[in-house]
Structures are given as structure tokens and as C-alpha cells.
Amino acid sequence: MHRPVPRRSGRGLTRGIPAVLSVVSAFVIWEIYVRVSGISPLMLPAPSRVLDQMVQNRVLLWNNTLPTLTATFAGFALSLAVAFGLSIILDFMPRVRHALFPIFVVSQTLPLVAIAPLVVLWFGFDLSPKVLLVALVTFFPMLVALVDGYASTDPEIEDLMGSMGATRGQIFRAARFPSAMPYFFAGLRISITYAVVAAIFAEYVGARAGLGIVILNAKNSFRPDIVLAAVVISSLLTLVLFAATALLQRTVLRWRDVEGHR
Amino acid sequence: MTALSLNDVSVTFGGIPVLDRINLHVEQGEFVSILGPSGAGKSTIFRLLTGAQPQQTGTISCAGRENGFAFMPQRDALMPWRRIIDNLTLGLEVQGIPRKDARAKVAPLLGDFGLADFTAHYPAQLSGGMRQRAALLRTIVQGRSIQLLDEPFGALDALTRTQMQTWFEHRWRTARWTTLLVTHDVREAVALSDRIYVLSRRPARVIAEINVPIPRPRLGRPPSAQAYEIETQLLETLLQQTGETS
């Protein structure tokens, strides 16, 4: 295994070029189509117009991004804490796991469209319904990842620790928990991409401020350019969160980088 | 002094007998091997000793029970997310020894095990032989009275295995760890052991107990006629067991 390992930054840049090219060319085609066809900006605004609107409405957009971010972070923090706590309980109590797991699966089958208005109805227009909805959407992928991750522990390592006289708690901390980390990050990456979308949807259903409200109002006043401006911001938020997760993963799972490289 | 003895130990898995009245003993400072065909239940004896398998009948007695066994599994079972030094101190950590003291205990042995320059590496960065040495050191530093080695060189390629066996014999001659080795490699058993127990097929019984009075070091030089004779004798006994006499 002596294959040369390219330097990470260089590899990242080279790999990024096709992606950037494809995105840029999609926008260029879009722009050209709008200009050539003369389609009304009320139907399909050009990317340049969307960008222009983002600059013009920057105060409005910024003021409404903050509540969305707050809901996203609070919901995600809640979801993370509950998923961790619950996963530990489920790992130590297989009976409870068997009893509760179906409920979590069912929680994933609930259509957000139906459940969001109900949550707003029950919890009002302030932060809590958004936090709950974000938590509901992001919770399951992380919980499943953790529970599966614990189960992936090498039985030889557990036997070895058993022969050393380790307690169940010691085995969990030293073997099962670290074994679950790669799985956890896979779940985390899925969850984080849902988080912003869930927050916006919750606002859409009922809120005083937020990107969801911007989208709702812009749609009602026939301003697709502002709708798209808000969409761009929500995508950027998700991308930033995704990148942050990847960075965290690289720090925590540094040992995986060395695998296969001598 | 007898470090460990098993008297009439039998084990049954779901009605199928696996161990049938096993009798064996290991003296202090002695190297004893258990040799048997694959799937004979050699590892079951280790599982009994480490407590992974509940005892059924017979008695197991060992000198200083509280200071029992250190176990080295077949594959190295190093934790890929821990650096070598933190893998080596795992057993001490489980015993509740503070990290600093545990590292201080490992440090003087690193040189002999050829790991001094690799403590900050992750297991994946080491060769198979080095990983196996790390696994052995992790076993030794636990300070238990008996070392249980479950085919410790079985997963290595032939060349590395020979090197490791030679190195191990050298280490063993200076340290004299009381050792019980499970293997199906006849040559390995003869090269390393003071005494060899041969197990039958399932249900495993002890069908032969053979002394190996060959002077050490035995490895790193052409095998003696005596070693060849014992190997032949063992191989014949084993082949009769598998029903494939040559």
C-alpha cells in the first residue's frame, strides 16, 4: 500500500472544479434563456435579477434569516441531545429498544405537511413549534445511526475488554461509543440537510418572521425573484452547516484518514 | 508451583458436548500449548478462563485467582481509533490506573517490543507483525499471572510469522511468562512449548500430553532431529483425528 497520497487541499480543489463548472453553466443557461425568450420576470426571474433583489432586500432577508437560524440551531441541539441520551438508554436496555423503536419509525412516516399545522396549533407562533419540528425531522437519522453504530462494535474488542474485567459502562465508553462515531457522522450529515428546510417549512405554516415568512409573503405578492432570493439563502445556510459537519468529522475521525496509508 | 489446573472440565452447547472431561495444568513459568484440529474447542477453553463462557462441570483452580489471566485474541483487536500507546494501556485503564501511571508502566517495555518510535501511530499505520507485537505487549502489561495466547501468529503471512515466533521465543526466554498457547500449527507448538496437550475432534478430550525437552533457543537455526521427531509424532496423532491418514 505505497500508492502516493495526493495532498488534500490540492485534491479538494481539483475535485471541486467540475462541480463549480456545472453549477455556473446551469446559471448561465438559465440567464440566457430568460433574456432570449423574453419571459416575464413574474414567471421566471433571471439569476441576475434574483441577485439584484438579494442586495436590495438585504436588510429584510438578514432580519428574517436570524429567526430561521435560531430555530434550526435550537431544534438541532434538542434533537442531538435527545438522540444521544436515548441511544445510550436503548443500547443498555434492549427490551426498551424493541418497545420504542417502532414509535420512532412511525414518527418518520408522519407527513410534515399535516403535522406542522398541528404543532403550530398546539404550541403557538413563537419559537417552540419550529424547534420541535426541526427536532422531529432530524432526530431519527441520528438515533438510528448511533444505535446501528454501537451494534457495529467488533465483538473481539468487546471480548478482549471483558477478559480485562471491564464493566458494561467501560466497554460502552471505550469501545461501543467510538465505534459508532463514523455512523453518527453519516447520520448527522443527513440530518443537517433536513434541518434548515424543516425550519423554513415550520415558519411557512405559521410564524411572525423567518425565511419561510419571506417566501410566503413574496409568493402572495407575485414576487418569484424574492422567493428565489430566500431560497438561495436557505441553500447557503444548509451548505455552510454541511461544511461545518464535514470539518468536525475530519477532526473527530482523524484516525480514519490514516487507514490504508502507510 | 502449579499456576493453573483444569480438572474434568466439560462444556455442552445446546446439547452438543464440546469439551469432554478436560484435564490439564500449567506450572509457574512454563510454556504450555494446546494443539488440536480446527473447531475442536480450543478457544472454548480460553472463553471459560476469561469468563466469556460460563463453566458447567469440573473445577478450574489457579494460583492467585484475583490476578488471573491476560488474553491475547487471534486477531490483534487493536482499537483503530486509538493511538498505539492508548491501545497498550487499555488493560491498565480498565483496572482504573491513571493514564500517566499506565504510560509509565508501558514505557520501559516499548523498546523490547520494537514499538518505541510508533506510540503516536494509529494501528492502521503499522505492519501486521508490529500490530501483533502491540497486542502482545497490551497483554503482558496487564501484569496478570498467566498469559493466554489464542493463535497469536495465525493471521500473519508465513515470513512475518517465522520472524515473530523467533522474536517471541527470545522475549519469552528472558521474561518467562507463564503461558498457555492455543494453536493448530504443529511446528509453532514444538518450537515454543515446554509441554503440549493434543486435543481430539469434538467433543474435545486430551488425547496426548507431550514433553518437549529440546534445548532453547530452538528458532533461528536448523530444526533439530528431536524436534522433527516430535513434530512427526504430533502430526500423525492429529491426522488420525481428522480421519485423513496419509
Side-chain angles (χ1 to χ4, degrees), chain B residues 57-132:
Chain B
T57 60
T59 54
I60 298 175
S61 55
C62 84
R65 175 97 213 185
E66 75 289 340
N67 193 18
F69 309 96
F71 171 59
M72 177 175 172
Q74 204 164 343
R75 294 186 300 118
D76 54 59
L78 294 168
M79 294 175 169
W81 55 85
R82 284 189 177 215
R83 297 175 187 278
I84 291 300
I85 183 70
D86 297 321
N87 266 295
L88 295 178
T89 54
L90 179 67
L92 301 171
E93 187 184 311
V94 166
Q95 292 170 27
I97 294 171
R99 179 144 86 153
K100 206 168 141 239
D101 299 351
R103 289 193 173 189
K105 216 168 165 181
V106 172
L109 293 163
L110 288 169
D112 285 340
F113 282 73
L115 295 166
D117 298 331
F118 298 93
T119 51
H121 285 58
Y122 288 103
Q125 293 170 294
L126 303 193
S127 66
M130 291 176 84
R131 292 170 61 115
Q132 223 57 26

Side-chain angles (χ1 to χ4, degrees), chain A residues 154 156-157 159-161 163-166 170 174-175 178-179 254-255 258-259 261-262, chain B residues 47 50 71 73-75 77 79-82 90-91 94 122 124-126 138 142 144:
Chain A
D154 183 352
E156 282 209 47
I157 290 181
D159 283 353
L160 173 75
M161 289 195 71
S163 82
M164 291 169 170
Q170 282 177 318
S179 296
R254 207 164 17 159
W255 58 271
V258 304
E259 249 168 34
H261 306 163
R262 292 273 154 77
Chain B
R47 293 177 62 82
T50 57
F71 171 59
Q74 204 164 343
R75 294 186 300 118
M79 294 175 169
W81 55 85
R82 284 189 177 215
L90 179 67
V94 166
Y122 288 103
Q125 293 170 294
L126 303 193
R138 180 188 58 197
Q142 292 175 46
R144 305 292 188 184

Side-chain angles (χ1 to χ4, degrees), chain B residues 1 3 26-31 145 172 175-179 194:
Chain B
M1 194 176 110
V26 183
E27 301 298 314
Q28 204 82 53
E30 193 184 25
F31 194 119
S145 49
W172 186 83
R176 293 278 164 176
W177 306 300
T178 307
T179 308
D194 294 318

